[in-house]
């Protein structure tokens, strides 16, 4: 009798597991089809032709910080070159390979490479939103632009709270009729300020077009040895 009861109990537990398990499995995040359209508009299909990207990230939040970082990134090799300043304002000029990050100095590991990740996300976010499959993206439909007149498709990109480069963060993309990002609003997932930062994608140094974000056709035509030169960032406004 004891053996029969044990088998019955085991059978019950197994049945319960089979019923409960499907509902407890992690479901893949929702991914709005418009992300694919945006990435293709910016030239993601030609990404494998890019040997190096050179850009300057200019960031300023009034009263918090002001920075100018010059980068050159080789996506295929992982080599990163940086020209700017350290946390003490001293000039820095360094190159490293991200796969060998463990052998680099503490300054590279703890300051420069995190800055590279941050700046790279701001410059290439339409691509990162497409590549980062762990993030959810739900098309909310037409919304008024956060600043000025007009409407655009609102697509919040929400990252999971644990893991990755941007845990818990949300990036609200405002996508125009031409599948280009008009504005995006960044919401930090952690407790540190700023809580929200608004950026106009089109605001660049010297009025130049951004060949990565705004000139997909030029990106497709670039030869494998070409570099992309542009200034990115401009001034972001703290909100909230």
């Amino acid at each position: 009798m004891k053996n029969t009861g044990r088998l019955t109990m085991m059978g019950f537990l197994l049945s319960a597991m089979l019923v409960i398990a499907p509902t407890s499995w992690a479901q893949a995040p929702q991914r709005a089809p418009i992300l694919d359209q945006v990435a293709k508009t910016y030239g993601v299909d030609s990404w494998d032709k890019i040997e190096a990207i050179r850009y300057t990230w200019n960031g300023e939040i009034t009263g918090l910080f002001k920075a100018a970082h010059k980068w050159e990134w080789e996506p295929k090799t992982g080599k990163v070159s940086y020209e700017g300043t350290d946390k003490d304002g001293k000039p820095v000029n360094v190159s490293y390979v991200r796969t060998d990050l463990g052998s680099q100095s503490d300054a590279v590991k703890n300051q420069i490479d995190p800055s590279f990740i941050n700046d790279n996300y701001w410059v290439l976010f339409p691509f990162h939103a497409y590549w980062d499959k762990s993030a959810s993206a739900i098309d909310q439909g037409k919304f008024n632009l956060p600043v000025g007149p007009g409407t655009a498709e609102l697509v919040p990109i929400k990252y999971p709270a644990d893991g990755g480069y941007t845990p818990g963060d949300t990036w609200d993309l405002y996508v125009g009729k031409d599948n280009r990002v008009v504005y995006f609003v960044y919401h930090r997932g952690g407790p540190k300020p700023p809580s929200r930062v608004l950026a106009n994608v089109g605001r660049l140094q010297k009025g130049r077009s951004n060949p990565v974000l705004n000139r997909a056709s030029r990106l497709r035509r670039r030869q494998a040895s070409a570099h992309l030169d542009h200034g990115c960032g401009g001034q972001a406004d703290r909100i909230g």
Side-chain angles (χ1 to χ4, degrees):
M1 292 296 293
K2 289 184 178 179
N3 290 339
T4 302
R6 184 178 301 172
L7 289 174
T8 302
M9 180 61 70
M10 290 177 63
F12 173 77
L13 291 174
L14 180 59
S15 298
M17 289 175 63
L18 290 175
V19 172
I20 296 172
T23 61
S24 63
W25 289 340
Q27 297 182 351
Q30 297 185 48
R31 303 282 293 175
I34 196 172
L35 282 186
D36 295 359
Q37 301 167 16
V38 170
K40 289 181 180 296
T41 297
Y42 286 132
V44 72
D45 290 338
S46 298
W47 182 257
D48 60 350
K49 296 181 174 64
I50 300 300
E51 293 294 325
I53 300 174
R54 184 186 298 125
Y55 59 93
T56 299
W57 186 89
N58 296 290
E60 179 178 2
I61 298 180
T62 304
L64 291 179
F65 80 96
K66 183 176 182 179
H69 301 159
K70 294 183 179 180
W71 299 101
E72 183 169 323
W73 175 42
E74 299 176 10
K76 294 179 181 179
T77 66
K79 182 180 178 181
V80 174
S81 297
Y82 169 73
E83 182 181 343
T85 58
D86 62 15
K87 63 179 182 179
D88 298 321
K90 297 178 180 178
V92 175
N93 196 327
V94 65
S95 296
Y96 63 97
V97 178
R98 300 199 70 234
T99 54
D100 298 331
L101 196 59
S103 64
Q104 300 298 320
S105 67
D106 288 343
V108 170
K109 289 186 288 187
N110 300 326
Q111 299 174 33
I112 295 175
D113 194 63
S115 291
F116 166 75
I117 294 169
N118 175 80
D119 299 358
N120 194 271
Y121 260 76
W122 280 86
V123 173
L124 299 175
F125 191 75
F127 292 163
H128 285 292
Y130 172 79
W131 292 327
D132 295 344
K133 305 303 182 184
S134 64
S136 65
I138 302 176
D139 192 336
Q140 302 289 327
K142 294 288 185 182
F143 272 75
N144 292 329
L145 293 177
V147 174
T151 61
E153 207 82 8
L154 174 59
V155 186
I157 313 298
K158 173 67 175 177
Y159 284 84
D162 299 322
Y165 290 126
T166 181
D169 292 349
T170 300
W171 303 68
D172 291 339
L173 301 188
Y174 290 81
V175 182
K177 295 179 180 180
D178 56 357
N179 290 326
R180 298 179 187 274
V181 178
V182 182
Y183 276 94
F184 62 85
V185 180
Y186 167 70
H187 305 260
R188 185 189 294 274
K192 296 181 179 180
S195 58
R196 289 196 296 161
V197 175
L198 170 68
N200 182 336
V201 175
R203 183 169 12 178
L204 302 171
Q205 290 182 340
K206 300 180 182 178
R208 290 180 292 175
S209 294
N210 183 327
V212 177
L213 297 180
N214 296 329
R215 297 297 296 276
S217 60
R218 285 179 57 187
L219 178 60
R220 296 188 185 99
R221 293 198 299 267
R222 293 280 181 178
Q223 297 299 318
S225 60
H227 291 70
L228 303 177
D229 292 278
H230 63 282
C232 298
Q235 182 176 351
D237 303 313
R238 183 182 177 185
I239 303 177

